Amino acid sequence: MANVKFPRKEFESSLGSKITKEMESLIPLFGTPLESLSDSEIELEIFPNRPDLLSMQGFLRAFKAFIGKSPGLKGYKINPPEKKYKVTISPSVKPVRPFTACAIVKNLKFNDESIKEIVDLQEKLHSTVGRNRKKLAIGIYPLEKIKLPIKYLALPPSKIHFIPLESERELSGQQILQKHPAGREYAHLLEDKDKYPVFVDANNKILSMPPIINSHDTGKITESTDSVFIECSGWDQQVLQKTLNIIVTTLSDLGGKVYSMNLHYGSKKLVTPDLSTEKIKISLPDINKLLGLDLKESDLSKLLPKMGYDYKNSIVQIPAWRTDILHPVDITEDIAIAYGYDNLVPSIPNVATVASESQQSKIESKIREILIGLELIEISSYHLIKASESRLYKLKSVIALEDSKTEYKILRPNLLIPALRILAENKDNEYPQNIFELGTIFSHDEKTETGLSESTNLLIASSPSNFTDLKKILDYFASSLSIKLEIKESEHQSLIPGRTASVLLNNKPIGYIGEVHPHTLNQWNVKMPLSVLEISLEEIFNLLE
Amino acid sequence: MPEKENIQKIIESLSPIERSIIPHLNSPIPEIIEKSGLDSTSVLRALQFLSNKGLIIFSKTTKSVIDLGTNGVYYKKNHLPERRLILLLEEKNHLPIQEAKKLSKLSDNEFKVSLGVLKSKALISLDNGKISLQAKKEELTKNTIEEALLELLPIEESKIKDEQLLALQNLQKRKDIIEINKKTIVSFSTTDLGKQIASTPLQTDLIESVTPKLIKSWNSQKSKRFRSYDLSSTGPKIYGGKKHFVNQGIEYGKRIWLDLGFKEMQGSLVQTSFWNFDALFTAQDHPVRDLQDTFYIKDIKGQLPKDKNLVKAVKQAHESGVKDSKGWQYSWDPEEASSVVLRTHTTCLSAQTLSSLDIKKDLPAKFFSIGKVLRNETVDWSHGFEFLQTEGIVVSESVSFRDLLGYLQEFYKKMGFEKIRFAPAYFPYTEPSVEVSVYHPEKKVWLELGGAGIFRPELTIPLLGKAIPVLAWGQGFDRILMDYYKIKDFREFYQNNLKSLREKRAFIK
């Protein structure tokens, strides 16, 4: 998700009208939530499927069509490549960063504001479609500093030497990754490669080392720049070309004159940018069925141009900067947006089905009722426990998370650990404290798809209390469910020997009951005598079904 | 109310204990305790009740009381040190100082003080390192003023006579002999009403409690009256057992879906990425799959579903698309799909449910779930790593986007939100997609509650075998609960403070 901020004055002058109250409520209905609006700025949220709206020019192009100011597909003139407008792609880039899409734009008049806009757009595209430069990176260079044609090739890092942006001296490929701030940030994208990709001009001057950094000599746009060379490099030719289209149409809207370039992938030739439209066939009955509307052919001819499309005879012309049209349903959604989500009347559907609660839910609910009848209070704890708690409990095999932003890093193997934490946290509250929890616990299990299995456990803790007190609760619980639970003396690391028993259902152990050992209570900072029982409910669910 | 009736009503409300102390109201409290034969707590409580009824007025006075300190108690029993020295000298008349000290068994300090005291009273003299007794026999047998004062303690400071003052000052200079305590003394005076009642003969045949015997003999006792209670007095609090408030909310939500004809789905919190992401047409490089957003389980590799056709169809949907779709155009990695995650949404349950349906027999179908989901987030007042989601799907050839809006509107109406608003949204697995907000009439704001949409064909074709419309939603549930229980801090959901759990109100909408 990306938020963009546009200067309000320029926004309104390009739009040709003020942002009225009515427009404020219309903007979110276009699919771009209005995050904030001040006298100087408008901030919008742009969903990841619409990178073409990340620039003010791109947004206004689409929004003007939506409000009926300039409906339909907007045309852009692309001038054919001039002599030397050529990029040769060496096979050496294939394992490193195999593709590029390039263009030249002339006749630009940059000022501080428009340079900032272009840099912002570049950064937003990097972080969204570019997946933080992994999938795609963009370089923009002042044309007057470059001698065409261009080569895109990969070199051993030791053979790469240039002064990167924001540096005072020449660095090698390795040095850039180790020392330069941008190099360190994106080092993981190249580190394991034998060769690094570079763009080189006809004087063999290195223009940039994508996706890391441009050269100081050739990689900086200033107010005196009037023509630029643009390249996108990455792993997906389609995505590179769509992104290039987003950039060149934005520059064209800023007054630029766009020229295409010849790309030579060995014998394969390609001309970019290519703004020819894609076509998709839609079906009016399918659209009406999916939306629950009764639109006519003539409605489509009005609605589709509002979303920037051209439409005729079931064929939709898709602008070359749209990256999100995979299927006719994507067109259907745009028709719904053009129709207005606020105009869609919710209908009461007539789908007759029989409701049912899951058997497990029903039993769990019943168990809760039985236990609150004994004046127990239900608690609800995190499914994760802290690493420190796992050590304190001396857990042998833990199920740990790869990464966690909090101290909770391990899946709980029982409900006792969270209960001890919660009782310690409640040590100053009124006693007796009789609590229970119904919840999922986790264990290793090679037989499942995930290698883990889950079980619903019941924990009851009573403080202050002794074995007999808790045994009464267990007996009442069993008789209320009409099941037979037996107990047999056993051991448990946290409980007092001789006051600890296994709970058996049909001779199978399903848990334990006993008095918690003062040693354990001290460790967990629990101040009052405590008895606990914890049983797995899985067998009981099976039995009651 | 006429005075007489009022008095009568008060008399009838007197408890047996109150009755037993009324005759002694002209005595001070210690005497009442003695005369009534009750313990002091009962007497004080009864007096409190009488005060509530306006029979007496309490007054509290603070008094300073002079009492024995720790050493004082000891000296009162075993003589002051100077007396012990005198007793020794009575036998010997003259003693070298060092020997006197040794024989007297007094501490350094006690010995020094004793010498000073006796010298100042001219009872001894010191000469050439020797102590000589100077007093006459009768002077020796007489109590000193200090000893006399010790005998009197405890005594109120205000009752100290001038001649005792010097002794008090002398003793106060010495360690821990005297202690001055401030004591609050409760006394009361009887009001006119109290006096009137005390002089009225009290009915003694009021019924105090209903007993089996009374019930049996009621016919012969019909004319008797019951003692009235003081109904306005506050009694002790009681708390019942209780379901956790979150579970009460979940049960309410479930009830709504069941009323609307939905079937409950259940499933695991631990899922393979295949079910949590891939089956939901979420591209493998989608940022939501990053370690920063999703909890991955360490050191565990999961398995793809046994159904090879399903896996193949999902792979195809991602790589080149299924029927009329272009797909995401990349090479799908089965390894990535077999990583194990904690579910980030309950939508994975919908995917599993769809894959288990037989479209020839099981349609139309409606399913719901309300369950926990986990995301790698920090914890603060507005964030947490566990949330609740309410999930729903409607599978039928005949449903439309407007029906989806209808189900959501119905659910939120039953949740108490009359006004609902829909805006375009984006999710990788739905198209069209919608973001749902409800209007909060008290706060006068719109609350964003989550996403919904119609599952994409790239999802339904692999899972159902055919592009059948599936209305789907995964709505946040925590905000509704936070609003209902007026919870400002997200952490309260998992705090389990027993005091707050005991006092939480029931979930009724």
Side-chain angles (χ1 to χ4, degrees), chain B residues 194-252:
Chain B
K195 283 174 191 153
Q196 252 180 299
I197 288 176
S199 63
T200 314
L202 298 181
Q203 242 179 297
T204 48
D205 57 349
L206 290 173
I207 300 168
E208 182 57 27
S209 51
V210 179
T211 60
K213 201 174 145 202
L214 177 84
I215 300 167
K216 208 170 170 190
S217 60
W218 179 245
N219 283 339
S220 60
Q221 309 195 49
K222 271 182 189 161
S223 59
K224 281 195 184 169
R225 293 174 66 100
F226 287 86
R227 179 178 69 86
S228 340
Y229 291 149
D230 179 3
L231 301 174
S232 61
S233 68
T234 51
K237 279 191 177 173
I238 183 174
Y239 297 107
K242 205 173 270 193
K243 292 184 191 184
H244 193 271
F245 65 95
V246 169
N247 289 333
Q248 292 186 45
I250 292 176
E251 281 187 2
Y252 184 83

Side-chain angles (χ1 to χ4, degrees), chain B residues 281-305:
Chain B
F281 197 54
T282 304
Q284 292 190 324
D285 70 347
H286 194 287
V288 78
R289 299 177 73 143
D290 286 353
L291 269 178
Q292 300 187 36
D293 293 300
T294 298
F295 283 131
Y296 282 82
I297 310 288
K298 220 182 197 164
D299 304 328
I300 287 191
K301 201 88 232 165
Q303 291 159 25
L304 295 180

Side-chain angles (χ1 to χ4, degrees), chain A residues 41-247:
Chain A
E41 213 168 51
I42 174 168
E43 184 180 5
L44 303 170
E45 184 189 336
I46 305 297
F47 296 141
N49 60 330
R50 293 298 300 270
D52 59 304
L53 305 180
L54 288 169
S55 73
M56 185 171 86
Q57 292 69 28
F59 176 80
L60 284 173
R61 170 177 63 216
F63 189 66
K64 275 167 143 174
F66 180 64
I67 58 175
K69 280 201 164 175
S70 51
L73 181 69
K74 183 163 179 180
Y76 288 92
K77 183 169 165 42
I78 303 287
N79 298 290
E82 290 180 3
K83 213 176 113 194
K84 292 190 182 170
Y85 282 15
K86 189 174 119 183
V87 181
T88 313
I89 296 105
S90 145
S92 59
V93 295
K94 207 169 175 193
V96 195
R97 203 166 175 84
F99 301 110
T100 184
C102 306
I104 281 172
V105 183
K106 293 184 174 178
N107 208 22
L108 288 162
K109 282 184 195 69
F110 281 119
N111 56 33
D112 275 352
E113 193 55 53
S114 55
I115 292 174
K116 188 182 166 295
E117 274 177 46
I118 291 300
V119 173
D120 274 355
L121 173 63
Q122 196 179 342
E123 280 316 307
K124 297 282 178 204
L125 289 169
H126 278 159
S127 63
T128 54
V129 271
R131 303 284 191 256
N132 288 322
R133 305 196 189 182
K134 182 173 184 230
K135 197 174 184 180
L136 167 149
I138 302 154
I140 303 179
Y141 314 81
L143 192 62
E144 70 265 22
K145 301 269 176 77
I146 296 173
K147 189 159 185 249
L148 297 173
I150 309 276
K151 279 193 299 246
Y152 179 46
L153 72 163
L155 293 173
S158 55
K159 296 261 168 70
I160 300 172
H161 294 280
F162 66 101
I163 304 172
L165 282 175
E166 280 128 45
S167 173
E168 262 147 38
R169 54 195 189 91
E170 194 176 271
L171 298 174
S172 73
Q174 285 119 330
Q175 283 172 325
I176 289 173
L177 296 200
Q178 287 158 6
K179 292 179 183 160
H180 194 277
R184 282 203 298 270
E185 191 178 349
Y186 297 102
H188 61 280
L189 298 175
L190 288 185
E191 248 159 13
D192 57 333
K193 316 282 189 212
D194 300 334
K195 292 179 175 180
Y196 298 169
V198 284
F199 281 93
V200 176
D201 78 355
N203 289 335
N204 264 331
K205 224 159 82 179
I206 291 178
L207 308 182
S208 70
M209 184 171 89
I212 314 288
I213 191 110
N214 283 8
S215 150
H216 175 78
D217 298 337
T218 59
K220 200 161 190 178
I221 299 169
T222 64
E223 285 183 49
S224 62
T225 308
D226 74 346
S227 301
V228 292
F229 162 66
I230 304 165
E231 51 79 10
C232 298
S233 69
W235 291 86
D236 183 325
Q237 186 69 47
Q238 280 287 329
V239 173
L240 298 181
Q241 284 182 232
K242 296 265 186 188
T243 308
L244 183 67
N245 293 346
I246 291 171
I247 300 168

Side-chain angles (χ1 to χ4, degrees), chain A residues 131 290 292 333 347 351 383, chain B residues 285 366 386 401-403 433:
Chain A
R131 303 284 191 256
L290 201 66
E333 180 180 74
S347 52
V351 181
H383 287 91
Chain B
D285 70 347
K366 302 196 294 230
E386 287 196 15
F401 192 54
R402 281 175 52 219
D403 296 333
S433 306

Side-chain angles (χ1 to χ4, degrees), chain A residues 430-499:
Chain A
E430 200 179 305
Y431 289 87
Q433 298 183 349
N434 299 320
I435 58 172
F436 75 98
E437 175 159 24
L438 273 170
T440 307
I441 58 133
F442 304 86
S443 57
H444 288 281
D445 182 351
E446 281 171 13
K447 279 171 274 169
T448 65
E449 265 181 29
T450 55
L452 299 174
S453 76
E454 295 177 18
S455 147
T456 305
N457 269 22
L458 166 66
L459 171 125
I460 300 176
S462 173
S463 173
S465 78
N466 58 32
F467 186 90
T468 316
D469 297 331
L470 211 56
K471 176 70 168 43
K472 282 190 287 188
I473 295 178
L474 182 68
D475 290 343
Y476 175 73
F477 169 78
S479 69
S480 299
L481 290 177
S482 184
I483 54 174
K484 205 167 166 235
L485 295 178
E486 281 164 309
I487 63 162
K488 192 175 144 196
E489 190 177 341
S490 70
E491 283 175 11
H492 186 283
Q493 62 174 82
S494 307
L495 309 181
I496 301 175
R499 300 182 179 190

